[in-house]
Amino acid sequence: MPRVFHEQGILFGYRHPQSSAIDCLLSLFQMTNETLNIWTHLLPFWFFMWRFVTMLYVTDVQNDSYSWPLLVYMGTSCVYPFVSSCAHTFSSMSKNARHICYFLDYGAVNLFSLGSAIAYSAYTFPDMLVSTTFHDYYVTLAVLNTIISTGLSCYSRFIEIQKPRLCKVLRVLAFAYPYTWDSFPVFYRLFLFPGESPQNEASVYHQKHIAMTLLASFFYSAHLPERLAPGLFDYIGHSHQLFHVCVILATHMQMEAIILDKTLRKEWLLAFSRPLSLLQITGAILLCIIFSLSNILYFSAALYRIPEPELHKKET
């Protein structure tokens, strides 16, 4: 088994490193160390898709511009679990296919990050920061963050064999700093001025979202519990499965918080906030997609330019 396929603390349950696409699809119904990684995002994808379609059904999309940011957010919340489940499904086709699958996964996560920023800008900004210069440039910088984050996370895969610790640090940083930027309005509301909107019931959901995100980050970084008992959690209960579950729960809590903010603050926001236009929302999403795909194409091409012994020179 090539080392690039190895996961810390996981000894058994690997699929063949040159599986066909059909073999990969069939592995959804076989017990491997990736099976629950796939299903812990594939099933939530259908749940979030159901919520998205339901929201579309009850919304006058053409005329209700106030709801556009929510619809964009809910759409991106469907994209990342679907792409993640596909990445885990087809990552055993070859070494390069594995890297490319996860490049796409990173791009989808960053698209969701931008969707979150758009929704936060529209509904969650604390009263004191609404219509300030920071608010005006918040989404613009969120777009820039997604571009940098996708590039940094893709680059980290090129050093995961030679410098695994640096690889992990870069990858965690690549997702931590866009999350921190996106969540600044929430942190401001909860910790700096917690009494600013006492009537807003969304605060409890924002707190739960932060807690689940921190727990997800812990599992992703620590490789626990499998690091303490290699081989025992190969199929059920290893850190990446727990990470997936926590991320989905965090998204659910975030969605509930955003919907509550949208509902409870509607009158005030329509009176005092400058809403994002359709052009601004569309432009931000398109820029994110274009530059993220450009990053992915660049690093995918680099896989074929770099000699294999250099990319995987520590394999045994």
Side-chain angles (χ1 to χ4, degrees), residues 107-125:
V109 170
N110 278 293
L111 181 63
F112 172 68
S113 172
L114 178 58
S116 300
I118 288 171
Y120 280 167
S121 175
Y123 312 119
T124 301
F125 253 68

Side-chain angles (χ1 to χ4, degrees), residues 96-209:
N96 286 349
R98 179 177 177 85
H99 290 304
I100 293 170
C101 281
Y102 290 118
F103 291 165
L104 292 167
D105 188 16
Y106 304 150
V109 170
N110 278 293
L111 181 63
F112 172 68
S113 172
L114 178 58
S116 300
I118 288 171
Y120 280 167
S121 175
Y123 312 119
T124 301
F125 253 68
D127 299 354
M128 189 176 295
L129 295 181
V130 166
S131 298
T132 60
T133 301
F134 172 68
H135 193 190
D136 292 340
Y137 288 97
Y138 170 77
V139 171
T140 302
L141 288 173
V143 174
L144 179 62
N145 288 341
T146 65
I147 298 168
I148 297 172
S149 176
T150 302
L152 189 60
S153 53
C154 289
Y155 168 74
S156 71
R157 298 199 66 83
F158 286 79
I159 59 172
E160 66 178 347
I161 301 299
Q162 298 92 333
K163 301 177 180 178
R165 290 185 179 180
L166 178 59
C167 166
K168 180 62 72 172
V169 169
L170 290 179
R171 202 170 298 168
V172 170
L173 178 63
F175 296 116
Y177 88 85
Y179 172 80
T180 303
W181 173 263
D182 292 348
S183 300
F184 182 81
V186 178
F187 297 153
Y188 188 97
R189 267 177 56 180
L190 294 180
F191 305 119
L192 295 181
F193 291 91
E196 185 181 86
S197 301
Q199 80 286 357
N200 197 330
E201 301 168 12
S203 295
V204 174
Y205 285 99
H206 284 304
Q207 291 167 354
K208 292 178 179 179
H209 166 239

Side-chain angles (χ1 to χ4, degrees), residues 45 47 87 130 137-138 161 179 193 268 272 278 282-283 286:
F45 157 71
F47 172 71
V130 166
Y137 288 97
Y138 170 77
I161 301 299
Y179 172 80
F193 291 91
W268 189 91
F272 296 101
L278 180 61
T282 305
L286 286 178

Side-chain angles (χ1 to χ4, degrees), residues 290-306:
I290 290 170
F291 281 100
S292 290
L293 285 177
S294 298
N295 263 324
I296 291 167
L297 289 171
Y298 173 80
F299 285 105
S300 297
L303 291 172
Y304 296 92
R305 291 198 304 267
I306 297 176

